[in-house]
Amino acid sequence: MYINDLNLSPLLVAQASESYQSGATLNRWVEVLVDCPGSTGLFTYRLPAQLEIKPGDILSVPFGAQQLGAIAIRLLTKPNVDLPPEKIREVEDIVSVGFFPSAYWELLNQVAAYYYTPLIQVIRVALPPGLLGRSQRRIRLVRSEGAGGSSYLLASPNPLAFLTPTARQVWELLQGQPAGDYSFVYLQQKVKSAYRGIRELLRFGLVESYLEPPRLTRPKLQKAVTLTGTVDRDLTTRQREILEVLRRRGGELWLNEFLQICKTTTPTLKGLEEKGYIVIEEREVLRTEQGPALVGDSAKSLTTAQASALETIQTLDGFAQVLLHGVTGSGKTEVYLQAIAPLLNQGKSALVLVPEIGLTPQLTDRFRARFGNKVSVYHSALSDGERYDTWRQMLAGEPQVVIGTRSAVFAPLPNLGLIILDEEHDSSFKQDSPIPTYHARTVAEWRAELENCPLVLGSATPSLETWVSVRRQGAGGRGQEEGGRSYYLSLPERVNSRPLPPVEIVDMRQELQQGNRSIFSRSLQEALQELQERKQQGILFIHRRGHSTFVSCRSCGYVLECPYCDVSLAYHHTEEKAPELLRCHYCNYARSHPKFCPDCSSPYLKFFGSGTQRVTQELARQFPELRLIRFDSDTTRNKGSHRTLLTQFANGEADLLVGTQMLTKGLDLPQVTLVGVVAADGLLNLSDYRASERAFQTLTQVAGRAGRGDDPGRVIVQTYTTEHQVIAAVRSHDYQSFSQAELEQRQALNYPPYGRLILLRLSSLDPIEVQNTAQIIATALSTEEEFEILGPAPASILRVANRYRWQILIKFAPDALPKLPDWEEVRSLCPSSVSLTIDVDPINIM
Ligand code: ADP
Ligand code: ZN
Ligand code: ZN
């Protein structure tokens, strides 16, 4: 992929370079994305007559005084810039042909169009950070006699006589180097207009040009710079520039690299570090994520339902959308594994998308146990280097399985045979910001169509979008409408006919009435007691959001808030001797816990709520013998800690796993018999049209962790609103009636999946300006009759990281696509101090 495979016939070589420039081919232009920090727009270049360029090729172009890597985006018949054509510079050369396969290229364009995002920004999501910047362009002598041109030339008594002085200079330099190999940059420094000489040598087949991947060996520890703050206070233009470079490179760079790129000094960076914008620290240099050694695993004999689902998937030829609706513990993963196995033997690859990284250790282990080193993992928590290496490995085209999170939907796997989205209902598949605000399920569907392969969506609690779309096409069983491109497959029972665990609902109002002031109901207390006696394991789920662990003064009621966001600070205390910290969950601002109230100096400053810490402290008090593991964003911050904690728990080193949302996803531990939900109410009462759907999914998923082994399971859900429709559906494991009731409400209000939404998010440091702009835009849009406008309204948390946030919701019918506004015009209504994000099909509209 990195070797230049530009083939020139000997015939061309024999001719003088000028003679094959014909008038007809002179008017060819190309827009490129230049790989240069700080450059965002497209640049137009002239195409030299002898180059055949396609969108997606990697080029080298002159840029200022440099020669840079660039990606060809679009061919033009006439330049679209206000420059006399003769002033437009020429593409220097093609570095790599067909870097993006054409279907992949089409996908990127489709994403750009649907999500109203400039193509460049889509490319940046798809490419690992700094892909071009990390590779180095090099020139080396062609030593083999294979190339007709060179042998012809070299056979002549004095080959150099054919060359111009510049080319000769370059040639001699290369001859002087033992390997005959120099970087392009070095040659440029040594020889004036070296690129002309190099072009000539390339044309004669005397040298070849290639991209050298980044070096694989690095010292174990190296200083890295990480972007931490986004707050725009007290910065000089220069400092802002430096931070912008860092942000663009993915927010993380090695210190020495960063100094070079920005041409800045360590003291300057130290200054930024003191202001809290960056952190400079030693980092271990890891290249590809290594799993633990695993015992090989072979295909299980399938249940009847699994076998019939697999059979359907395997008969699919080309694109189809499949919903694999299997209750928790029904063995969906086994179906995925057996669907993939024959593909690998046919030389094809598979892409498996999963919601979050907390879930991948177990899932990737299962895949690795089955397919060994054919499995690689690709997600944003990998370091740049790991991502880069995984990316290159994918391009090599060997049949393989890539498991990854949202952005892996863009993994450049050639020869795709199958795409799987596991837990397809999960909202982490949607990107809220920055643009493109894509949904991996939507993109996966397009990709499967373009690659002509099946897409399998697996879930115990399908999203209503998927449910409706699959059901609509194929009412019951297999959808044969529209050429049978949509299938509903069901795994209605757990493996080995294990029952789903009974769900007990406890009314916490009654507990209080009957004198129980503990955060644990008597049922849950009994169950915890039994757990210990029977040597079984349990999971305690806590829904934590926003105000659950705020700190307030018992004397005056003062609440400690983030100075940059309109939210209270959350109390954090990770271990015995660690300092007590208050942290903002929105901007990550942190401060130490003050001893006295900042307002009235009272010493009675306390934290409230039932966050994981509060619950674990209460557990320690009531059940001192119970061994606990906390599993939340505090204890899983370090790389690999998910795996460590889960392994400890699986090995029986603790009785109870206490944690948040992360616990709901995919955990398969046969020894877990008890699942407790401390308070379901936080989930039920969110002011969002999706709150019920999300609550049902979360509670059903967390309940599904119980009773997956031989011992029967038991679920206890504590709540103050037992009468809620979601609670009833969770109790009876009844997806059908829940979805039916919920869909009726959605239809009545024209919400998705019946209506479509676009959310405009506006934000600014200036509270007045953003409000005014929101009003102006809403007024401008209200002249359109084809859609309904809700707002403008302040976001539910008005200020985050010092930016004030407003939003406008646009609602319209999905079938008759309305004439949408011209977003460029809408953008032009935004002053530069207000930023606007267009969120298509928003999931999070609070
Ligand atoms: P799901 O993803 O549907 O919740 P899993 O794929 O995690 O379910 O499967 C649940 C458990 O059942 C796993 O431990 C898996 O190894 C096991 N399992 C799956 N299929 C079979 C089978 N056909 N026979 C025996 N065990 C199976
Ligand atoms: Zn006070
Ligand atoms: Zn904050």
Side-chain angles (χ1 to χ4, degrees), residues 313-525:
I313 294 171
Q314 285 182 331
T315 54
L316 297 175
D317 183 24
F319 172 71
Q321 182 182 318
V322 178
L323 170 58
L324 181 61
H325 184 190
V327 298
T328 55
S330 58
K332 293 184 285 293
T333 313
E334 189 63 32
V335 176
Y336 305 152
L337 290 166
Q338 297 200 23
I340 291 172
L343 291 178
L344 295 174
N345 295 333
Q346 295 161 27
K348 292 186 182 168
S349 291
L351 183 57
V352 181
L353 302 178
V354 296
E356 253 164 64
I357 235 47
L359 177 148
T360 51
Q362 254 204 333
L363 191 105
T364 42
D365 285 358
R366 282 202 208 163
F367 275 78
R368 284 208 170 105
R370 196 67 60 91
F371 301 125
N373 60 9
K374 289 208 172 81
V375 177
S376 53
V377 176
Y378 191 69
H379 53 76
S380 54
L382 295 180
S383 71
D384 283 4
E386 289 171 328
R387 283 231 270 179
Y388 182 88
D389 288 1
T390 313
W391 217 77
R392 279 178 42 233
Q393 185 190 323
M394 287 189 256
L395 288 171
E398 290 291 309
Q400 56 192 298
V401 183
V402 171
I403 303 177
T405 48
R406 181 171 71 216
S407 67
V409 72
F410 294 108
L413 274 174
N415 219 353
L416 256 185
L418 179 63
I419 304 178
I420 293 167
L421 251 89
D422 188 32
E423 313 289 357
E424 66 84 33
H425 62 275
D426 197 280
S427 58
S428 72
F429 284 123
K430 174 69 160 64
Q431 173 150 313
D432 288 337
S433 75
I435 54 168
T437 57
Y438 67 99
H439 199 302
R441 186 178 55 223
T442 310
V443 179
E445 194 181 325
W446 296 334
R447 187 154 187 201
E449 253 183 297
L450 287 165
E451 311 262 3
N452 199 27
C453 73
L455 168 67
V456 174
L457 305 172
S459 177
T461 51
S463 66
L464 294 176
E465 278 86 354
T466 301
W467 178 252
V468 166
S469 121
V470 169
R471 286 270 152 164
R472 188 184 287 153
Q473 285 197 37
R478 295 162 190 197
Q480 295 301 336
E481 231 172 274
E482 291 180 36
R485 303 176 94 204
S486 190
Y487 295 79
Y488 175 76
L489 306 176
S490 159
L491 308 177
E493 280 182 22
R494 283 189 162 181
V495 181
N496 297 335
S497 309
R498 286 182 189 121
L500 284 167
V503 178
E504 180 189 339
I505 308 291
V506 179
D507 190 335
M508 291 304 277
R509 292 167 299 194
Q510 283 184 10
E511 290 288 313
L512 199 63
Q513 264 177 21
Q514 291 164 19
N516 177 14
R517 293 179 177 278
S518 161
I519 51 174
F520 306 120
S521 60
R522 287 159 302 174
S523 262
L524 189 54
Q525 292 183 20

Side-chain angles (χ1 to χ4, degrees), residues 562-567 569 584-589 800-802:
C562 173
Y564 310 112
C565 313
D566 288 335
V567 293
L569 293 171
C584 170
H585 283 179
Y586 285 83
C587 73
N588 218 22
Y589 164 88
V800 169
N802 254 356

Side-chain angles (χ1 to χ4, degrees), residues 114 194 240 244 346 363 465 589 678 763:
Y114 185 83
R240 221 172 283 232
E244 179 58 12
Q346 295 161 27
L363 191 105
E465 278 86 354
Y589 164 88
V678 176
S763 79

Side-chain angles (χ1 to χ4, degrees), residues 219-347:
K220 256 202 128 86
L221 279 179
Q222 205 169 307
K223 281 218 166 100
V225 186
T226 309
L227 187 65
T228 52
T230 52
V231 186
D232 219 357
R233 290 163 286 162
D234 54 46
L235 285 177
T236 64
T237 314
R238 178 66 186 136
Q239 286 173 324
R240 221 172 283 232
E241 253 171 49
I242 292 174
L243 291 178
E244 179 58 12
V245 171
L246 188 56
R247 191 185 63 75
R248 235 182 261 290
R249 301 261 167 164
E252 224 171 82
L253 278 175
W254 298 113
L255 177 64
N256 49 10
E257 241 176 288
F258 192 37
L259 289 173
Q260 262 179 5
I261 293 169
C262 291
K263 302 203 173 47
T264 183
T265 58
T266 314
T268 311
L269 295 188
K270 285 263 186 265
L272 282 170
E273 188 178 28
E274 271 157 24
K275 286 187 177 177
Y277 287 100
I278 57 174
V279 172
I280 305 175
E281 61 190 3
E282 297 259 66
R283 273 292 172 79
E284 193 176 351
V285 188
L286 291 168
R287 297 301 306 206
T288 54
E289 196 175 82
Q290 295 293 328
L294 293 165
V295 190
D297 170 36
S298 53
K300 295 188 166 57
S301 78
L302 299 179
T303 64
T304 321
Q306 281 175 323
S308 119
L310 180 67
E311 196 199 317
T312 306
I313 294 171
Q314 285 182 331
T315 54
L316 297 175
D317 183 24
F319 172 71
Q321 182 182 318
V322 178
L323 170 58
L324 181 61
H325 184 190
V327 298
T328 55
S330 58
K332 293 184 285 293
T333 313
E334 189 63 32
V335 176
Y336 305 152
L337 290 166
Q338 297 200 23
I340 291 172
L343 291 178
L344 295 174
N345 295 333
Q346 295 161 27

Side-chain angles (χ1 to χ4, degrees), residues 521-559:
S521 60
R522 287 159 302 174
S523 262
L524 189 54
Q525 292 183 20
E526 265 164 46
L528 288 168
Q529 201 66 49
E530 268 177 22
L531 201 63
Q532 236 175 336
E533 288 159 14
R534 295 190 189 164
K535 305 257 171 294
Q536 293 174 329
Q537 286 185 303
I539 289 178
L540 212 51
F541 170 75
I542 291 146
H543 174 75
R544 183 167 77 173
R545 190 167 225 164
H547 296 262
S548 59
T549 52
F550 66 100
V551 176
S552 76
C553 170
R554 290 208 158 171
S555 305
C556 76
Y558 180 86
V559 175

Side-chain angles (χ1 to χ4, degrees), residues 687-839:
S687 55
D688 181 334
Y689 81 95
R690 280 178 184 270
S692 290
E693 182 180 354
R694 205 175 291 140
F696 176 76
Q697 287 162 347
T698 304
L699 291 173
T700 304
Q701 294 287 351
V702 77
R705 302 309 113 204
R708 295 166 79 95
D710 294 332
D711 295 330
R714 171 179 187 191
V715 181
I716 299 173
V717 177
Q718 306 189 148
T719 175
Y720 291 88
T721 38
T722 43
E723 61 282 5
H724 201 287
Q725 160 217 342
V726 165
I727 296 291
V730 170
R731 178 181 5 223
S732 52
H733 301 284
D734 190 352
Y735 178 86
Q736 311 262 356
S737 64
F738 165 75
S739 60
Q740 198 179 338
E742 180 67 16
L743 284 170
E744 277 165 20
Q745 292 184 19
R746 299 275 182 95
Q747 193 154 26
L749 295 168
N750 208 19
Y751 274 117
Y754 299 105
R756 271 192 64 195
L757 298 175
I758 291 180
L759 184 67
L760 307 185
R761 301 177 203 274
L762 295 104
S763 79
S764 169
L765 294 170
D766 183 336
I768 307 294
E769 190 131 44
V770 67
Q771 183 176 356
N772 288 345
T773 308
Q775 193 56 60
I776 289 168
I777 291 178
T779 310
L781 291 176
S782 63
T783 56
E784 312 275 346
E785 277 175 11
E786 285 164 276
F787 46 78
E788 188 185 338
I789 293 172
L790 306 178
S796 70
I797 292 163
L798 176 61
R799 192 175 54 134
V800 169
N802 254 356
R803 297 186 75 87
Y804 294 84
R805 309 174 324 145
W806 279 70
Q807 55 193 33
I808 301 168
L809 192 62
I810 303 176
K811 215 157 108 175
F812 49 94
D815 307 325
L817 257 189
K819 191 169 69 53
L820 280 172
D822 176 345
W823 295 115
E824 280 318 305
E825 245 166 60
V826 173
R827 270 188 201 290
S828 70
L829 297 173
C830 275
S832 60
S833 63
V834 176
S835 73
L836 167 66
T837 304
I838 301 171
D839 187 351

Side-chain angles (χ1 to χ4, degrees), residues 553 555-558 597 599-602 605:
C553 170
S555 305
C556 76
Y558 180 86
C597 169
D599 211 36
C600 75
S601 307
S602 151
L605 209 54

